[in-house]
Amino acid sequence: MKKAILVLAALLAVSAAYAQVTVEFWHAMTGKNGEMVQAICDKFNASQKDFKVVPVYKGSYSDTMNAGIAAFRAGQPPAIIQVYEVGTATMMAAKNAIKPVYQLMAEHGKNWNPKIYIPTITSYYSTSDGRMLSMPFNSSTAVMYYNKDAFRKAGLDPEKPPVTWPEFFQVAEKLKASGMEGGFSTNWISWIQLENFSAWHNLPFGTKSNGFDGLDTQLVYNNPIVIRHLQNIYDLSKKGVFIYGGRENKANPLFTSGRVGMHFESIGGYGNMKANCKFEFGVARLPYYPDVPGAPQNTIIGGASLWVFNGKSAAEYNAVAEFFSFISQPEIQAYWHQNTGYLPITQAAYELTKAQGFYKDNPGPEIAIKQLLNKAPTPNSMGIRFGNFNIIREIEDQVWEDILAGKISVKDGVNKMVTEGNKTLREFEKLYK
Amino acid sequence: MSSKQYEFKSPILPYLLVLPQMVIVFIFFFWPAAQAILQSFYLQDPFGGRMIFVGFQNYAKLFADPDYWQSFSVSAAFAVCITVSAMSIALFLAVQANKKIRMETFYKTMLIWPYAVSTLVSGVIWLFMFNPNVGVIAYVLKHRFGVDWQYLLHFDQAFILLTLAASWKQLAYNFVFFLAGLQSVPETLVEAAAIDGAGSATRFWKIIFPMLSPTTFYLLVMNLVYGFFETFPIVHAITQGAPGKSTGILVYKVWRDGVINLDLGGSAAQSVILMVLVIVLTVFQFRFLERRVTY
């Protein structure tokens, strides 16, 4: 016991001598990704002596956000907090609680150049005139995974995954006919089949540039193309070609256990697929409808970004700015990208990864990056910025289940998603006006 | 007055003695309850930056929402189904285990065991058996028996599964109490009835069951409370309110709206309604049902 006290005293003396500034970084990363967060912070702490970033795991994304909110209300927020993309508008609107990253970097950063970041990623977390509010951290996008062994068995070319939706549906029927339980499944009906689908076809998801230009945004995705798309999936569900596997990423086992031959999931799930698929699988771009002008456009991201809390000391902000510059370096970004499957946030990190030959053995992540960079983003494909976004996605999940159960028609269902979603948008607007 | 009441000499001492308990009750019950009531009248930004007084609007919105009423009726149906199945099966098992049989202790131990499992874990166990994507029993149901097992889309399947999981967990608790109750029924009464020519069914319904009524009443209260308020982890693990929002019972909805969706005012209004519900339920049970119980 005495020894422990002595050691503690010595440690305190040492840290006092250095006057090192310590800041906390609350995050929601588990498993391999959690280890990588720790590894990056360790690298940062070893790279210099003035600052120390301490990563603290706070549970799921919503747990972490709630912990941040509670800590802010109690006057003890961490300096950095990881917030998922659906929390973006809530964080943005809490003007008293956050310090925008562009402001932080202007005041405390050294030689910070916002141009190094990939615009399709930073735009998601920027104001409509391009000022970064939070630092993108773990970004992913939606892609199609397909079972190459199953393709061979069904007499299809495993190197030629379907490119358009009509082709895709035909292939799905063939896969089922070849003896699989079903043709395809999808995760995240909201994020993949509605939000990314709309961006990929350059269709507005909401007015006001999908919410970037104001809180008075309205959902407008109840157009004939979206309705046709969901109708196609619904019709195939009746034939058993589409199998519903649940909300969020719950449908993964349908693909990894070989019950369906094609599946939609985030590129962030690439590592998981590699670990769990006992067959050869491929990654392909999302299909598109060739009759829609402008398709394919570019897909949008999901994942989370790092927000900085307001009311910290200048020394703490210096630490955060230094950390943000550090994690933006190509080597660190490439390390993070190659170990987690999340996308690199700078062009330089992508080039570096390419030069290192990483994509030869891992073509999946590059397909995701190319899909994201396919075209310069339009107001329909910069991202989505809605208040109460979680509730909107929940409504979409719920109505989609009612559609599949035959309780409501596809057209009425999509209209219901939009009307109900708009109600919650109006509530958010009322609160922040 | 020959009461057994003890007279305190100092008038302050009794208050001092109950003070620690009152402090706990105040901090953990009254204070949060008061906060909930207060918050239910506001529309509020999660960071506490803005609070807009909206009067009864949060309540009005709930009562005007057909989904809230649906959640209400599902919760009630759920609580009743759990209570009926968990209590009747537990009573049956307790009666069987109370007979003089071989390996009596073994059966008793096995039947009490599930009580040691936390509610969330029991939800996960049932999830792993019945989930259409990964469940073993789901696979057998689908491939051996041709059942269209997909509780993610069929409400009736989801409801049955939740009821089974929640009842299984509560069974052990009921079993312990019924068994204890049965053991305190005097042998002599039952034997006397047998000598008078009462069959085993008559002996059970005319003597044993009425003698069990305090236990039954206690369990009725506990099971309804369990069904209404403590089944959150099971719903959270198995259906998360799906299909649609059909299994989003009241306690699940409160959590979801407050913690995930950050609608603090709406969530607070729901908890106030739940609070009133518990009070009404308890008063009703003690006022009307307890009269019919013979102690």
mmCIF file with all atom_site columns, all heavy atoms in Angstrom, chain B residues 32 47 59 66 93 99 113-114 120 130-131 142 145 165 168 196 199 208 251 263-264 274 277:
data_model
loop_
_atom_site.group_PDB
_atom_site.id
_atom_site.type_symbol
_atom_site.label_atom_id
_atom_site.label_alt_id
_atom_site.label_comp_id
_atom_site.label_asym_id
_atom_site.label_entity_id
_atom_site.label_seq_id
_atom_site.pdbx_PDB_ins_code
_atom_site.Cartn_x
_atom_site.Cartn_y
_atom_site.Cartn_z
_atom_site.occupancy
_atom_site.B_iso_or_equiv
_atom_site.pdbx_formal_charge
_atom_site.auth_seq_id
_atom_site.auth_comp_id
_atom_site.auth_asym_id
_atom_site.auth_atom_id
_atom_site.pdbx_PDB_model_num
ATOM 1   N N   . PRO B 1 32  ? -36.959 12.651  -8.463  1.00 0.00 ? 32  PRO B N   1
ATOM 2   C CA  . PRO B 1 32  ? -37.106 12.373  -9.899  1.00 0.00 ? 32  PRO B CA  1
ATOM 3   C C   . PRO B 1 32  ? -38.561 12.458  -10.362 1.00 0.00 ? 32  PRO B C   1
ATOM 4   O O   . PRO B 1 32  ? -38.828 12.932  -11.468 1.00 0.00 ? 32  PRO B O   1
ATOM 5   C CB  . PRO B 1 32  ? -36.597 10.938  -10.060 1.00 0.00 ? 32  PRO B CB  1
ATOM 6   C CG  . PRO B 1 32  ? -35.866 10.627  -8.826  1.00 0.00 ? 32  PRO B CG  1
ATOM 7   C CD  . PRO B 1 32  ? -36.350 11.532  -7.749  1.00 0.00 ? 32  PRO B CD  1
ATOM 8   N N   . PHE B 1 47  ? -29.699 19.509  -24.577 1.00 0.00 ? 47  PHE B N   1
ATOM 9   C CA  . PHE B 1 47  ? -28.584 20.103  -23.866 1.00 0.00 ? 47  PHE B CA  1
ATOM 10  C C   . PHE B 1 47  ? -29.030 21.122  -22.818 1.00 0.00 ? 47  PHE B C   1
ATOM 11  O O   . PHE B 1 47  ? -28.205 21.740  -22.153 1.00 0.00 ? 47  PHE B O   1
ATOM 12  C CB  . PHE B 1 47  ? -27.615 20.757  -24.853 1.00 0.00 ? 47  PHE B CB  1
ATOM 13  C CG  . PHE B 1 47  ? -26.811 19.757  -25.603 1.00 0.00 ? 47  PHE B CG  1
ATOM 14  C CD1 . PHE B 1 47  ? -27.233 19.289  -26.831 1.00 0.00 ? 47  PHE B CD1 1
ATOM 15  C CD2 . PHE B 1 47  ? -25.650 19.237  -25.063 1.00 0.00 ? 47  PHE B CD2 1
ATOM 16  C CE1 . PHE B 1 47  ? -26.500 18.337  -27.514 1.00 0.00 ? 47  PHE B CE1 1
ATOM 17  C CE2 . PHE B 1 47  ? -24.917 18.288  -25.744 1.00 0.00 ? 47  PHE B CE2 1
ATOM 18  C CZ  . PHE B 1 47  ? -25.341 17.835  -26.967 1.00 0.00 ? 47  PHE B CZ  1
ATOM 19  N N   . TYR B 1 59  ? -49.030 15.858  -23.234 1.00 0.00 ? 59  TYR B N   1
ATOM 20  C CA  . TYR B 1 59  ? -50.048 14.856  -22.896 1.00 0.00 ? 59  TYR B CA  1
ATOM 21  C C   . TYR B 1 59  ? -51.084 14.765  -24.005 1.00 0.00 ? 59  TYR B C   1
ATOM 22  O O   . TYR B 1 59  ? -51.489 13.682  -24.422 1.00 0.00 ? 59  TYR B O   1
ATOM 23  C CB  . TYR B 1 59  ? -50.740 15.222  -21.580 1.00 0.00 ? 59  TYR B CB  1
ATOM 24  C CG  . TYR B 1 59  ? -49.838 15.133  -20.385 1.00 0.00 ? 59  TYR B CG  1
ATOM 25  C CD1 . TYR B 1 59  ? -49.159 16.251  -19.912 1.00 0.00 ? 59  TYR B CD1 1
ATOM 26  C CD2 . TYR B 1 59  ? -49.658 13.921  -19.727 1.00 0.00 ? 59  TYR B CD2 1
ATOM 27  C CE1 . TYR B 1 59  ? -48.328 16.166  -18.808 1.00 0.00 ? 59  TYR B CE1 1
ATOM 28  C CE2 . TYR B 1 59  ? -48.831 13.823  -18.629 1.00 0.00 ? 59  TYR B CE2 1
ATOM 29  C CZ  . TYR B 1 59  ? -48.159 14.951  -18.169 1.00 0.00 ? 59  TYR B CZ  1
ATOM 30  O OH  . TYR B 1 59  ? -47.333 14.858  -17.085 1.00 0.00 ? 59  TYR B OH  1
ATOM 31  N N   . PRO B 1 66  ? -53.094 7.491   -31.949 1.00 0.00 ? 66  PRO B N   1
ATOM 32  C CA  . PRO B 1 66  ? -53.638 6.126   -31.875 1.00 0.00 ? 66  PRO B CA  1
ATOM 33  C C   . PRO B 1 66  ? -52.554 5.097   -31.519 1.00 0.00 ? 66  PRO B C   1
ATOM 34  O O   . PRO B 1 66  ? -52.841 4.086   -30.879 1.00 0.00 ? 66  PRO B O   1
ATOM 35  C CB  . PRO B 1 66  ? -54.192 5.873   -33.279 1.00 0.00 ? 66  PRO B CB  1
ATOM 36  C CG  . PRO B 1 66  ? -53.656 6.956   -34.143 1.00 0.00 ? 66  PRO B CG  1
ATOM 37  C CD  . PRO B 1 66  ? -53.306 8.108   -33.262 1.00 0.00 ? 66  PRO B CD  1
ATOM 38  N N   . LEU B 1 93  ? -47.080 -26.749 -11.419 1.00 0.00 ? 93  LEU B N   1
ATOM 39  C CA  . LEU B 1 93  ? -45.784 -27.358 -11.121 1.00 0.00 ? 93  LEU B CA  1
ATOM 40  C C   . LEU B 1 93  ? -45.564 -27.466 -9.612  1.00 0.00 ? 93  LEU B C   1
ATOM 41  O O   . LEU B 1 93  ? -45.040 -28.457 -9.121  1.00 0.00 ? 93  LEU B O   1
ATOM 42  C CB  . LEU B 1 93  ? -44.653 -26.545 -11.764 1.00 0.00 ? 93  LEU B CB  1
ATOM 43  C CG  . LEU B 1 93  ? -44.589 -26.608 -13.291 1.00 0.00 ? 93  LEU B CG  1
ATOM 44  C CD1 . LEU B 1 93  ? -43.535 -25.645 -13.813 1.00 0.00 ? 93  LEU B CD1 1
ATOM 45  C CD2 . LEU B 1 93  ? -44.285 -28.024 -13.765 1.00 0.00 ? 93  LEU B CD2 1
ATOM 46  N N   . LYS B 1 99  ? -45.907 -33.084 -4.150  1.00 0.00 ? 99  LYS B N   1
ATOM 47  C CA  . LYS B 1 99  ? -46.270 -34.482 -3.891  1.00 0.00 ? 99  LYS B CA  1
ATOM 48  C C   . LYS B 1 99  ? -45.033 -35.249 -3.487  1.00 0.00 ? 99  LYS B C   1
ATOM 49  O O   . LYS B 1 99  ? -43.911 -34.812 -3.746  1.00 0.00 ? 99  LYS B O   1
ATOM 50  C CB  . LYS B 1 99  ? -46.865 -35.093 -5.169  1.00 0.00 ? 99  LYS B CB  1
ATOM 51  C CG  . LYS B 1 99  ? -48.259 -34.576 -5.467  1.00 0.00 ? 99  LYS B CG  1
ATOM 52  C CD  . LYS B 1 99  ? -48.772 -35.163 -6.752  1.00 0.00 ? 99  LYS B CD  1
ATOM 53  C CE  . LYS B 1 99  ? -50.148 -34.605 -7.081  1.00 0.00 ? 99  LYS B CE  1
ATOM 54  N NZ  . LYS B 1 99  ? -50.486 -34.817 -8.472  1.00 0.00 ? 99  LYS B NZ  1
ATOM 55  N N   . TRP B 1 113 ? -34.275 -22.515 -10.585 1.00 0.00 ? 113 TRP B N   1
ATOM 56  C CA  . TRP B 1 113 ? -33.069 -22.011 -11.228 1.00 0.00 ? 113 TRP B CA  1
ATOM 57  C C   . TRP B 1 113 ? -33.258 -20.767 -12.126 1.00 0.00 ? 113 TRP B C   1
ATOM 58  O O   . TRP B 1 113 ? -32.517 -19.794 -12.010 1.00 0.00 ? 113 TRP B O   1
ATOM 59  C CB  . TRP B 1 113 ? -32.389 -23.147 -12.025 1.00 0.00 ? 113 TRP B CB  1
ATOM 60  C CG  . TRP B 1 113 ? -30.907 -23.069 -11.938 1.00 0.00 ? 113 TRP B CG  1
ATOM 61  C CD1 . TRP B 1 113 ? -30.163 -21.980 -11.578 1.00 0.00 ? 113 TRP B CD1 1
ATOM 62  C CD2 . TRP B 1 113 ? -29.983 -24.119 -12.203 1.00 0.00 ? 113 TRP B CD2 1
ATOM 63  N NE1 . TRP B 1 113 ? -28.835 -22.290 -11.603 1.00 0.00 ? 113 TRP B NE1 1
ATOM 64  C CE2 . TRP B 1 113 ? -28.692 -23.588 -11.990 1.00 0.00 ? 113 TRP B CE2 1
ATOM 65  C CE3 . TRP B 1 113 ? -30.111 -25.437 -12.611 1.00 0.00 ? 113 TRP B CE3 1
ATOM 66  C CZ2 . TRP B 1 113 ? -27.537 -24.349 -12.160 1.00 0.00 ? 113 TRP B CZ2 1
ATOM 67  C CZ3 . TRP B 1 113 ? -28.955 -26.181 -12.788 1.00 0.00 ? 113 TRP B CZ3 1
ATOM 68  C CH2 . TRP B 1 113 ? -27.688 -25.657 -12.560 1.00 0.00 ? 113 TRP B CH2 1
ATOM 69  N N   . PRO B 1 114 ? -34.244 -20.786 -13.032 1.00 0.00 ? 114 PRO B N   1
ATOM 70  C CA  . PRO B 1 114 ? -34.348 -19.640 -13.953 1.00 0.00 ? 114 PRO B CA  1
ATOM 71  C C   . PRO B 1 114 ? -34.430 -18.290 -13.234 1.00 0.00 ? 114 PRO B C   1
ATOM 72  O O   . PRO B 1 114 ? -34.142 -17.255 -13.819 1.00 0.00 ? 114 PRO B O   1
ATOM 73  C CB  . PRO B 1 114 ? -35.639 -19.912 -14.717 1.00 0.00 ? 114 PRO B CB  1
ATOM 74  C CG  . PRO B 1 114 ? -35.849 -21.357 -14.618 1.00 0.00 ? 114 PRO B CG  1
ATOM 75  C CD  . PRO B 1 114 ? -35.254 -21.796 -13.316 1.00 0.00 ? 114 PRO B CD  1
ATOM 76  N N   . LEU B 1 120 ? -32.684 -9.613  -18.831 1.00 0.00 ? 120 LEU B N   1
ATOM 77  C CA  . LEU B 1 120 ? -32.086 -9.355  -20.134 1.00 0.00 ? 120 LEU B CA  1
ATOM 78  C C   . LEU B 1 120 ? -31.490 -10.628 -20.727 1.00 0.00 ? 120 LEU B C   1
ATOM 79  O O   . LEU B 1 120 ? -31.697 -10.942 -21.901 1.00 0.00 ? 120 LEU B O   1
ATOM 80  C CB  . LEU B 1 120 ? -31.002 -8.281  -20.021 1.00 0.00 ? 120 LEU B CB  1
ATOM 81  C CG  . LEU B 1 120 ? -30.330 -7.925  -21.347 1.00 0.00 ? 120 LEU B CG  1
ATOM 82  C CD1 . LEU B 1 120 ? -31.321 -7.253  -22.287 1.00 0.00 ? 120 LEU B CD1 1
ATOM 83  C CD2 . LEU B 1 120 ? -29.130 -7.027  -21.139 1.00 0.00 ? 120 LEU B CD2 1
ATOM 84  N N   . PHE B 1 130 ? -35.021 -18.377 -31.139 1.00 0.00 ? 130 PHE B N   1
ATOM 85  C CA  . PHE B 1 130 ? -36.124 -18.131 -32.069 1.00 0.00 ? 130 PHE B CA  1
ATOM 86  C C   . PHE B 1 130 ? -35.870 -17.085 -33.139 1.00 0.00 ? 130 PHE B C   1
ATOM 87  O O   . PHE B 1 130 ? -36.729 -16.845 -33.978 1.00 0.00 ? 130 PHE B O   1
ATOM 88  C CB  . PHE B 1 130 ? -37.382 -17.753 -31.278 1.00 0.00 ? 130 PHE B CB  1
ATOM 89  C CG  . PHE B 1 130 ? -38.005 -18.931 -30.596 1.00 0.00 ? 130 PHE B CG  1
ATOM 90  C CD1 . PHE B 1 130 ? -37.729 -19.224 -29.276 1.00 0.00 ? 130 PHE B CD1 1
ATOM 91  C CD2 . PHE B 1 130 ? -38.873 -19.760 -31.301 1.00 0.00 ? 130 PHE B CD2 1
ATOM 92  C CE1 . PHE B 1 130 ? -38.297 -20.325 -28.657 1.00 0.00 ? 130 PHE B CE1 1
ATOM 93  C CE2 . PHE B 1 130 ? -39.454 -20.858 -30.680 1.00 0.00 ? 130 PHE B CE2 1
ATOM 94  C CZ  . PHE B 1 130 ? -39.163 -21.140 -29.361 1.00 0.00 ? 130 PHE B CZ  1
ATOM 95  N N   . ASN B 1 131 ? -34.724 -16.414 -33.112 1.00 0.00 ? 131 ASN B N   1
ATOM 96  C CA  . ASN B 1 131 ? -34.487 -15.406 -34.141 1.00 0.00 ? 131 ASN B CA  1
ATOM 97  C C   . ASN B 1 131 ? -34.493 -16.045 -35.529 1.00 0.00 ? 131 ASN B C   1
ATOM 98  O O   . ASN B 1 131 ? -33.802 -17.026 -35.760 1.00 0.00 ? 131 ASN B O   1
ATOM 99  C CB  . ASN B 1 131 ? -33.152 -14.703 -33.887 1.00 0.00 ? 131 ASN B CB  1
ATOM 100 C CG  . ASN B 1 131 ? -32.895 -13.630 -34.909 1.00 0.00 ? 131 ASN B CG  1
ATOM 101 O OD1 . ASN B 1 131 ? -32.485 -13.905 -36.033 1.00 0.00 ? 131 ASN B OD1 1
ATOM 102 N ND2 . ASN B 1 131 ? -33.181 -12.404 -34.550 1.00 0.00 ? 131 ASN B ND2 1
ATOM 103 N N   . LYS B 1 142 ? -39.017 -23.719 -39.379 1.00 0.00 ? 142 LYS B N   1
ATOM 104 C CA  . LYS B 1 142 ? -39.133 -23.377 -40.779 1.00 0.00 ? 142 LYS B CA  1
ATOM 105 C C   . LYS B 1 142 ? -38.905 -24.588 -41.674 1.00 0.00 ? 142 LYS B C   1
ATOM 106 O O   . LYS B 1 142 ? -39.662 -24.849 -42.588 1.00 0.00 ? 142 LYS B O   1
ATOM 107 C CB  . LYS B 1 142 ? -38.096 -22.301 -41.108 1.00 0.00 ? 142 LYS B CB  1
ATOM 108 C CG  . LYS B 1 142 ? -38.721 -21.090 -41.775 1.00 0.00 ? 142 LYS B CG  1
ATOM 109 C CD  . LYS B 1 142 ? -37.665 -20.181 -42.347 1.00 0.00 ? 142 LYS B CD  1
ATOM 110 C CE  . LYS B 1 142 ? -37.339 -19.066 -41.394 1.00 0.00 ? 142 LYS B CE  1
ATOM 111 N NZ  . LYS B 1 142 ? -36.314 -18.151 -41.883 1.00 0.00 ? 142 LYS B NZ  1
ATOM 112 N N   . PHE B 1 145 ? -41.008 -28.134 -40.045 1.00 0.00 ? 145 PHE B N   1
ATOM 113 C CA  . PHE B 1 145 ? -42.460 -28.064 -39.896 1.00 0.00 ? 145 PHE B CA  1
ATOM 114 C C   . PHE B 1 145 ? -43.118 -27.099 -40.887 1.00 0.00 ? 145 PHE B C   1
ATOM 115 O O   . PHE B 1 145 ? -44.326 -26.940 -40.888 1.00 0.00 ? 145 PHE B O   1
ATOM 116 C CB  . PHE B 1 145 ? -42.820 -27.673 -38.465 1.00 0.00 ? 145 PHE B CB  1
ATOM 117 C CG  . PHE B 1 145 ? -42.345 -28.668 -37.453 1.00 0.00 ? 145 PHE B CG  1
ATOM 118 C CD1 . PHE B 1 145 ? -41.198 -28.442 -36.708 1.00 0.00 ? 145 PHE B CD1 1
ATOM 119 C CD2 . PHE B 1 145 ? -43.041 -29.861 -37.263 1.00 0.00 ? 145 PHE B CD2 1
ATOM 120 C CE1 . PHE B 1 145 ? -40.753 -29.377 -35.784 1.00 0.00 ? 145 PHE B CE1 1
ATOM 121 C CE2 . PHE B 1 145 ? -42.599 -30.804 -36.344 1.00 0.00 ? 145 PHE B CE2 1
ATOM 122 C CZ  . PHE B 1 145 ? -41.458 -30.565 -35.605 1.00 0.00 ? 145 PHE B CZ  1
ATOM 123 N N   . ALA B 1 165 ? -41.112 -15.898 -23.265 1.00 0.00 ? 165 ALA B N   1
ATOM 124 C CA  . ALA B 1 165 ? -39.842 -15.537 -22.636 1.00 0.00 ? 165 ALA B CA  1
ATOM 125 C C   . ALA B 1 165 ? -40.072 -14.888 -21.282 1.00 0.00 ? 165 ALA B C   1
ATOM 126 O O   . ALA B 1 165 ? -39.420 -15.232 -20.288 1.00 0.00 ? 165 ALA B O   1
ATOM 127 C CB  . ALA B 1 165 ? -39.058 -14.605 -23.547 1.00 0.00 ? 165 ALA B CB  1
ATOM 128 N N   . TRP B 1 168 ? -41.529 -17.477 -18.717 1.00 0.00 ? 168 TRP B N   1
ATOM 129 C CA  . TRP B 1 168 ? -40.506 -18.446 -18.295 1.00 0.00 ? 168 TRP B CA  1
ATOM 130 C C   . TRP B 1 168 ? -39.669 -17.877 -17.155 1.00 0.00 ? 168 TRP B C   1
ATOM 131 O O   . TRP B 1 168 ? -39.394 -18.531 -16.165 1.00 0.00 ? 168 TRP B O   1
ATOM 132 C CB  . TRP B 1 168 ? -39.614 -18.789 -19.483 1.00 0.00 ? 168 TRP B CB  1
ATOM 133 C CG  . TRP B 1 168 ? -38.465 -19.679 -19.130 1.00 0.00 ? 168 TRP B CG  1
ATOM 134 C CD1 . TRP B 1 168 ? -38.525 -21.020 -18.908 1.00 0.00 ? 168 TRP B CD1 1
ATOM 135 C CD2 . TRP B 1 168 ? -37.106 -19.307 -18.939 1.00 0.00 ? 168 TRP B CD2 1
ATOM 136 N NE1 . TRP B 1 168 ? -37.282 -21.505 -18.591 1.00 0.00 ? 168 TRP B NE1 1
ATOM 137 C CE2 . TRP B 1 168 ? -36.389 -20.475 -18.612 1.00 0.00 ? 168 TRP B CE2 1
ATOM 138 C CE3 . TRP B 1 168 ? -36.417 -18.087 -19.012 1.00 0.00 ? 168 TRP B CE3 1
ATOM 139 C CZ2 . TRP B 1 168 ? -35.024 -20.465 -18.349 1.00 0.00 ? 168 TRP B CZ2 1
ATOM 140 C CZ3 . TRP B 1 168 ? -35.052 -18.079 -18.761 1.00 0.00 ? 168 TRP B CZ3 1
ATOM 141 C CH2 . TRP B 1 168 ? -34.366 -19.259 -18.438 1.00 0.00 ? 168 TRP B CH2 1
ATOM 142 N N   . ASP B 1 196 ? -63.829 -37.456 4.695   1.00 0.00 ? 196 ASP B N   1
ATOM 143 C CA  . ASP B 1 196 ? -65.230 -37.124 4.421   1.00 0.00 ? 196 ASP B CA  1
ATOM 144 C C   . ASP B 1 196 ? -65.632 -37.465 2.995   1.00 0.00 ? 196 ASP B C   1
ATOM 145 O O   . ASP B 1 196 ? -66.762 -37.206 2.582   1.00 0.00 ? 196 ASP B O   1
ATOM 146 C CB  . ASP B 1 196 ? -65.477 -35.633 4.662   1.00 0.00 ? 196 ASP B CB  1
ATOM 147 C CG  . ASP B 1 196 ? -65.493 -35.340 6.153   1.00 0.00 ? 196 ASP B CG  1
ATOM 148 O OD1 . ASP B 1 196 ? -65.587 -36.299 6.938   1.00 0.00 ? 196 ASP B OD1 1
ATOM 149 O OD2 . ASP B 1 196 ? -65.391 -34.151 6.523   1.00 0.00 ? 196 ASP B OD2 1
ATOM 150 N N   . GLY B 1 199 ? -62.914 -35.850 -3.263  1.00 0.00 ? 199 GLY B N   1
ATOM 151 C CA  . GLY B 1 199 ? -61.921 -36.306 -4.246  1.00 0.00 ? 199 GLY B CA  1
ATOM 152 C C   . GLY B 1 199 ? -60.782 -35.314 -4.317  1.00 0.00 ? 199 GLY B C   1
ATOM 153 O O   . GLY B 1 199 ? -60.832 -34.245 -3.697  1.00 0.00 ? 199 GLY B O   1
ATOM 154 N N   . ILE B 1 208 ? -57.352 -26.367 -0.560  1.00 0.00 ? 208 ILE B N   1
ATOM 155 C CA  . ILE B 1 208 ? -55.991 -25.870 -0.784  1.00 0.00 ? 208 ILE B CA  1
ATOM 156 C C   . ILE B 1 208 ? -55.994 -24.508 -1.470  1.00 0.00 ? 208 ILE B C   1
ATOM 157 O O   . ILE B 1 208 ? -55.335 -23.573 -1.027  1.00 0.00 ? 208 ILE B O   1
ATOM 158 C CB  . ILE B 1 208 ? -55.178 -26.903 -1.607  1.00 0.00 ? 208 ILE B CB  1
ATOM 159 C CG1 . ILE B 1 208 ? -55.128 -28.226 -0.832  1.00 0.00 ? 208 ILE B CG1 1
ATOM 160 C CG2 . ILE B 1 208 ? -53.777 -26.393 -1.891  1.00 0.00 ? 208 ILE B CG2 1
ATOM 161 C CD1 . ILE B 1 208 ? -54.496 -29.362 -1.572  1.00 0.00 ? 208 ILE B CD1 1
ATOM 162 N N   . VAL B 1 251 ? -43.329 0.846   -21.235 1.00 0.00 ? 251 VAL B N   1
ATOM 163 C CA  . VAL B 1 251 ? -42.012 1.116   -20.654 1.00 0.00 ? 251 VAL B CA  1
ATOM 164 C C   . VAL B 1 251 ? -40.932 1.186   -21.727 1.00 0.00 ? 251 VAL B C   1
ATOM 165 O O   . VAL B 1 251 ? -39.959 1.930   -21.590 1.00 0.00 ? 251 VAL B O   1
ATOM 166 C CB  . VAL B 1 251 ? -41.587 0.071   -19.601 1.00 0.00 ? 251 VAL B CB  1
ATOM 167 C CG1 . VAL B 1 251 ? -42.148 0.429   -18.248 1.00 0.00 ? 251 VAL B CG1 1
ATOM 168 C CG2 . VAL B 1 251 ? -41.951 -1.328  -20.002 1.00 0.00 ? 251 VAL B CG2 1
ATOM 169 N N   . ASP B 1 263 ? -36.620 12.957  -27.006 1.00 0.00 ? 263 ASP B N   1
ATOM 170 C CA  . ASP B 1 263 ? -37.833 13.746  -26.821 1.00 0.00 ? 263 ASP B CA  1
ATOM 171 C C   . ASP B 1 263 ? -38.140 13.742  -25.319 1.00 0.00 ? 263 ASP B C   1
ATOM 172 O O   . ASP B 1 263 ? -38.946 12.963  -24.828 1.00 0.00 ? 263 ASP B O   1
ATOM 173 C CB  . ASP B 1 263 ? -38.979 13.126  -27.630 1.00 0.00 ? 263 ASP B CB  1
ATOM 174 C CG  . ASP B 1 263 ? -40.311 13.791  -27.347 1.00 0.00 ? 263 ASP B CG  1
ATOM 175 O OD1 . ASP B 1 263 ? -40.307 14.895  -26.762 1.00 0.00 ? 263 ASP B OD1 1
ATOM 176 O OD2 . ASP B 1 263 ? -41.348 13.206  -27.696 1.00 0.00 ? 263 ASP B OD2 1
ATOM 177 N N   . LEU B 1 264 ? -37.455 14.628  -24.586 1.00 0.00 ? 264 LEU B N   1
ATOM 178 C CA  . LEU B 1 264 ? -37.516 14.557  -23.130 1.00 0.00 ? 264 LEU B CA  1
ATOM 179 C C   . LEU B 1 264 ? -38.903 14.880  -22.584 1.00 0.00 ? 264 LEU B C   1
ATOM 180 O O   . LEU B 1 264 ? -39.390 14.220  -21.678 1.00 0.00 ? 264 LEU B O   1
ATOM 181 C CB  . LEU B 1 264 ? -36.474 15.497  -22.519 1.00 0.00 ? 264 LEU B CB  1
ATOM 182 C CG  . LEU B 1 264 ? -35.028 15.190  -22.924 1.00 0.00 ? 264 LEU B CG  1
ATOM 183 C CD1 . LEU B 1 264 ? -34.072 16.099  -22.194 1.00 0.00 ? 264 LEU B CD1 1
ATOM 184 C CD2 . LEU B 1 264 ? -34.672 13.739  -22.643 1.00 0.00 ? 264 LEU B CD2 1
ATOM 185 N N   . LEU B 1 274 ? -47.440 6.631   -16.530 1.00 0.00 ? 274 LEU B N   1
ATOM 186 C CA  . LEU B 1 274 ? -47.129 5.316   -15.955 1.00 0.00 ? 274 LEU B CA  1
ATOM 187 C C   . LEU B 1 274 ? -47.203 5.358   -14.430 1.00 0.00 ? 274 LEU B C   1
ATOM 188 O O   . LEU B 1 274 ? -47.682 4.436   -13.782 1.00 0.00 ? 274 LEU B O   1
ATOM 189 C CB  . LEU B 1 274 ? -45.731 4.868   -16.376 1.00 0.00 ? 274 LEU B CB  1
ATOM 190 C CG  . LEU B 1 274 ? -45.599 4.297   -17.781 1.00 0.00 ? 274 LEU B CG  1
ATOM 191 C CD1 . LEU B 1 274 ? -44.171 3.903   -18.053 1.00 0.00 ? 274 LEU B CD1 1
ATOM 192 C CD2 . LEU B 1 274 ? -46.493 3.073   -17.935 1.00 0.00 ? 274 LEU B CD2 1
ATOM 193 N N   . LEU B 1 277 ? -50.635 5.278   -13.364 1.00 0.00 ? 277 LEU B N   1
ATOM 194 C CA  . LEU B 1 277 ? -51.131 3.925   -13.616 1.00 0.00 ? 277 LEU B CA  1
ATOM 195 C C   . LEU B 1 277 ? -50.754 2.973   -12.481 1.00 0.00 ? 277 LEU B C   1
ATOM 196 O O   . LEU B 1 277 ? -51.584 2.203   -12.001 1.00 0.00 ? 277 LEU B O   1
ATOM 197 C CB  . LEU B 1 277 ? -50.539 3.432   -14.935 1.00 0.00 ? 277 LEU B CB  1
ATOM 198 C CG  . LEU B 1 277 ? -51.206 2.222   -15.560 1.00 0.00 ? 277 LEU B CG  1
ATOM 199 C CD1 . LEU B 1 277 ? -52.565 2.609   -16.090 1.00 0.00 ? 277 LEU B CD1 1
ATOM 200 C CD2 . LEU B 1 277 ? -50.332 1.665   -16.671 1.00 0.00 ? 277 LEU B CD2 1
#
